[in-house]
Amino acid sequence: MRIEIAPPRRAVEPEVEIAAIDRRIAWVLAHPGTSPWLQAALVEDPLAIANDVEMLRHLLLPRSTAYAILAAAAPN
């Protein structure tokens, strides 16, 4: 058996990656269905927002999981 090893992926230049991310953010900001909360978050400090999102994940994931378990156990 022969195992092929793929060549390492060429890293994208940080400036190119940031430009692509900024285009995606602009698209989301321009979308009429984007919530005001998300619009405000996208223009704030990205590191502060990333920390807030991580905290939300830690708080909301267990809560939503518990609600899903309750819903699944409820009689139809």
Side-chain angles (χ1 to χ4, degrees):
M1 177 167 123
R2 182 176 176 180
I3 299 173
E4 294 287 329
I5 299 176
R9 287 179 45 179
R10 189 171 154 221
V12 176
E13 296 294 325
E15 295 83 4
V16 173
E17 189 163 354
I18 289 171
I21 292 166
D22 286 344
R23 284 191 301 275
R24 281 184 246 141
I25 289 173
W27 182 88
V28 170
L29 289 173
H31 192 278
T34 301
S35 72
W37 178 85
L38 183 55
Q39 289 176 349
L42 288 173
V43 296
E44 294 296 324
D45 173 38
L47 294 178
I49 295 303
N51 289 334
D52 289 348
V53 167
E54 187 64 17
M55 181 57 68
L56 279 171
R57 187 182 74 78
H58 282 291
L59 296 170
L60 295 180
L61 185 61
R63 185 177 188 208
S64 62
T65 301
Y67 274 107
I69 291 168
L70 280 174
N76 292 328

